[in-house]
Amino acid sequence: DSGVTQTPKHLITATGQRVTLRCSPRSGDPSVYWYQQSLDQGLQFLIQYYNGEERAKGNILERFSAQQFPDLHSELNLSSLELGDSALYFCASSVTSSISTDTQYFGPGTRLTVL
Amino acid sequence: DAKTTQPTSMDCAEGRAANLPCNHSTISGNEYVYWYRQIHSQGPQYIIHGLKNNETNEMASLIITEDRKSSTLILPHATLRDTAVYYCIVRVATSYDKVIFGPGTSLSVIP
């Protein structure tokens, strides 16, 4: 158990809809990262927040957005969903803001299915 | 464009050492090498990391070459539960704090 929790575990929705994925980092970890893993694809970095502020952006679509709240939990909002958005979405947390020098602890993921 | 190169897949007999190589020829002097693994559809799990020196913990050993252009993750006594995809990661030097997980190495531990 990494200490990172994600809800919901599974989410099934229709094209065009909007969903919110939630992540609670390890206690006190100020950095939160979001990743997408499609079928047969590697982990794609989406975005990072540190103490409520966006720190780094990866391959995140404009239809997707995220935020980090004062209690450090984070939400990833996915809108105008398409079939290709079906994937596992992972959240990770770390102590510092640096991906390159800090260990990330990953949550169990949310499996999103868009029908 | 991943900055690391790993074999696509490897097999290892149960109880034997699994040696997983990784090439990272463009690594900068202050960039760490990290290893994670992902058991099917679970969240990736941190294994070990290092800068220059060889490292060992309860899970594995990390051997980094003197020129730092490659490394090897060693699982000393592989078990069936070690069957997973193993990712070798270094920071992408051209992009601040972006990280790229390549396709990794799919390790199959065989009874």
Side-chain angles (χ1 to χ4, degrees), chain B residues 13-51:
Chain B
E14 189 178 16
R16 304 296 291 268
N19 297 286
L20 293 90
C22 178
N23 287 320
H24 32 78
S25 58
T26 60
I27 191 171
S28 298
N30 61 347
E31 292 177 348
Y32 286 74
V33 179
Y34 272 81
W35 283 83
Y36 289 80
R37 73 179 181 185
Q38 186 177 23
I39 297 169
H40 181 63
S41 293
Q42 296 182 21
Q45 176 190 25
Y46 165 79
I47 301 174
I48 198 167
H49 73 282
L51 182 63

Side-chain angles (χ1 to χ4, degrees), chain B residues 33 35 48-50 53-56 60-64 71-73:
Chain B
V33 179
W35 283 83
I48 198 167
H49 73 282
N53 300 321
N54 298 337
E55 302 289 343
T56 296
S61 294
L62 174 60
I63 308 298
I64 303 174
S71 60
T72 301
L73 178 74

Side-chain angles (χ1 to χ4, degrees), chain A residues 35 37 43 45 55 57 90 97 99-104 106-107 111, chain B residues 32 34 36 38 41-44 46 49 87 91 96-99 101:
Chain A
Y35 292 84
Q37 187 172 39
L43 284 159
F45 168 69
R55 286 302 298 264
K57 247 182 179 178
F90 290 106
S97 65
I99 289 181
S100 59
T101 60
D102 195 17
T103 299
Q104 295 180 69
F106 284 80
R111 182 176 292 279
Chain B
Y32 286 74
Y34 272 81
Y36 289 80
Q38 186 177 23
S41 293
Q42 296 182 21
Y46 165 79
H49 73 282
Y87 298 101
R91 174 186 169 185
Y96 177 71
D97 269 349
K98 285 185 183 177
V99 65
F101 283 72

Side-chain angles (χ1 to χ4, degrees), chain A residues 12-90:
Chain A
I12 300 174
T13 188
T15 55
Q17 295 298 305
R18 172 190 171 95
V19 297
T20 297
L21 311 183
R22 182 188 169 100
C23 168
S24 293
R26 293 189 320 156
S27 179
D29 277 2
S31 258
V32 170
Y33 312 82
W34 286 97
Y35 292 84
Q36 179 193 56
Q37 187 172 39
S38 303
L39 190 64
D40 297 328
Q41 295 288 322
L43 284 159
Q44 303 290 320
F45 168 69
L46 296 178
I47 198 165
Q48 178 205 3
Y49 277 82
Y50 179 78
N51 272 337
E53 294 187 1
E54 182 184 305
R55 286 302 298 264
K57 247 182 179 178
N59 300 318
I60 187 167
L61 301 171
E62 286 191 8
R63 300 183 286 110
F64 295 0
S65 65
Q67 55 184 332
Q68 186 180 28
F69 296 86
D71 67 353
L72 301 179
H73 90 271
S74 177
E75 293 180 354
L76 179 67
N77 301 297
L78 315 176
S79 62
S80 303
L81 285 168
E82 302 174 359
L83 296 178
D85 297 328
S86 295
L88 272 167
Y89 290 84
F90 290 106

